[in-house]
Amino acid sequence: MTAPPAVGAPAVRPSVARILASGVRSYSFEFFPPRTEKGERLLWETVRRVEAVHPAFVSVTYGAGGSSRARTVDLTRRIAEETTLRPVAHLTAVGHSVAELRQIIGGYADAGIRDILALRGDPPGDPRGIWTPHPRGLRHAADLVRLVRSCGDFSVGVAAFPERHPRSADWDDDIRHLAAKCRAGADYAVTQMFFSAEDYLRLRDRLRAVGCDTPVIPGIMPATDVRQIRRFAELSDATFPDDLAARLDAARHDPALAHRVGVEHATDLAQTLLDAGAPGLHYITLNRSTAALDIHRRLSLPTAPGS
């Protein structure tokens, strides 16, 4: 299936690193590679709606163990070639040799993609399973950051965990690893989903306390489906607040009400974060634009970086 053609020549958008370094807030949206033709149609409808608000960037996720590698690479390239959006490609170290990683990075560079989110990644099959590095691969996300940096002029992001990475021994261990990724050359971090502003602010303050001022962009997940969010929270060890869960559970047979509940909560959270100095927002769309765009409009945010 071919995406609808973009109107006019693709705009040359500044890198994520450049946007953040300028002090301008970054507003962005996250997609994942669809597996079906119906899913692909839905995705491209979402892409075009998101394109209309001119985000700083959009990102394309990479499946556990590199399971969606080919689809991620293809989708990222198509967004770069067929839209005016600036794509950030997720790249995981798990399941890849250094040679394979260099090949993927080179392919992105050849397609004009110069923004990568460098992740260690979850084990294939079981995100909670034992993590084993590829025998000719990398052990830590910081190593992947250094590899991407060595391959050319890239803007590099990393992951951050407001409630601590489930594999970290404690908070000191978690912050030590995040700071190591930043010092390896990361320009910014994007968090996994969370539902309490205090969790984000605690992470940011702990990172600053160890002398690292790398911008941390909060990931905003519109919670509109109680069963879906509960499942995601269990997989990521994120806290799903009881009051929000109860409101969504009460609205589980009323999609319009559930949508309002999720959008209102996410909007309040996002506004609190922006008021506290967050460098932007990263909307986790699940390939559906309505809730994320509703939040963005409710916040009366600019429709282009720097506007």
Side-chain angles (χ1 to χ4, degrees):
M1 177 179 174
T2 302
V7 177
V12 178
R13 296 197 177 279
S15 69
V16 184
R18 183 178 171 187
I19 290 170
L20 293 170
S22 72
V24 173
R25 278 177 165 153
S26 167
Y27 301 106
S28 52
F29 296 78
E30 180 176 292
F31 309 129
F32 65 86
R35 295 185 178 183
T36 66
E37 185 173 339
K38 179 180 178 180
E40 189 166 354
R41 285 197 301 269
L42 175 64
L43 168 66
W44 282 103
E45 290 170 3
T46 297
V47 167
R48 293 310 181 192
R49 293 191 185 104
V50 165
E51 189 174 19
V53 302
H54 308 290
F57 68 93
V58 297
S59 71
V60 182
T61 64
Y62 209 74
S67 58
S68 65
R69 166 183 164 177
R71 287 180 287 121
T72 296
V73 172
D74 179 62
L75 176 57
T76 306
R77 285 177 171 171
R78 290 185 64 193
I79 289 174
E81 294 168 357
E82 301 175 22
T83 78
T84 61
L85 297 165
R86 185 175 189 109
V88 171
H90 289 217
L91 179 62
T92 62
V94 66
H96 292 313
S97 68
V98 170
E100 289 172 336
L101 291 168
R102 286 186 183 277
Q103 183 179 36
I104 297 168
I105 296 166
Y108 282 137
D110 290 343
I113 298 163
R114 293 286 177 168
D115 296 89
I116 289 178
L117 195 70
L119 312 165
R120 190 179 77 163
D122 294 322
D126 180 7
R128 296 175 180 271
I130 297 174
W131 197 93
T132 304
H134 189 285
R136 294 181 300 281
L138 303 173
R139 183 172 292 275
H140 300 292
D143 300 325
L144 182 55
V145 172
R146 280 187 283 268
L147 177 63
V148 174
R149 283 292 190 195
S150 74
C151 290
D153 183 19
F154 288 91
S155 171
V156 184
V158 294
F161 299 84
E163 297 180 77
R164 186 161 62 83
H165 192 287
R167 294 178 186 271
S168 293
D170 52 36
W171 265 111
D172 288 342
D173 182 56
D174 192 79
I175 294 299
R176 184 165 52 252
H177 280 98
L178 178 54
K181 292 187 287 188
C182 296
R183 289 165 182 155
D187 298 295
Y188 62 96
V190 179
T191 77
Q192 74 161 18
M193 73 172 193
F194 63 98
F195 298 102
S196 169
E198 289 74 18
D199 291 329
Y200 170 86
L201 297 174
R202 187 181 302 115
L203 169 71
R204 183 190 66 182
D205 292 346
R206 282 175 165 150
L207 189 60
R208 288 178 177 175
V210 298
C212 185
D213 59 359
T214 300
V216 179
I217 303 171
I220 302 296
M221 168 74 85
T224 58
D225 183 324
V226 66
R227 287 174 293 185
Q228 181 185 62
I229 298 300
R230 186 169 281 132
R231 183 172 69 253
F232 289 166
E234 289 173 356
L235 289 173
S236 63
D237 281 356
T239 301
F240 188 15
D242 291 340
D243 58 339
L244 176 59
R247 292 172 65 201
L248 286 171
D249 197 52
R252 65 191 307 168
H253 301 301
D254 186 341
L257 177 58
H259 178 90
R260 288 199 301 275
V261 169
V263 167
E264 286 172 3
H265 178 275
T267 302
D268 290 344
L269 173 62
Q271 188 64 66
T272 299
L273 296 170
L274 293 174
D275 290 344
L281 302 170
H282 185 67
Y283 303 106
I284 303 168
T285 70
L286 302 180
N287 290 0
R288 298 176 183 272
S289 62
T290 306
L293 289 175
D294 281 352
I295 297 164
H296 196 72
R297 295 185 183 109
R298 280 171 173 250
L299 293 168
S300 299
L301 297 174
T303 57
S307 65

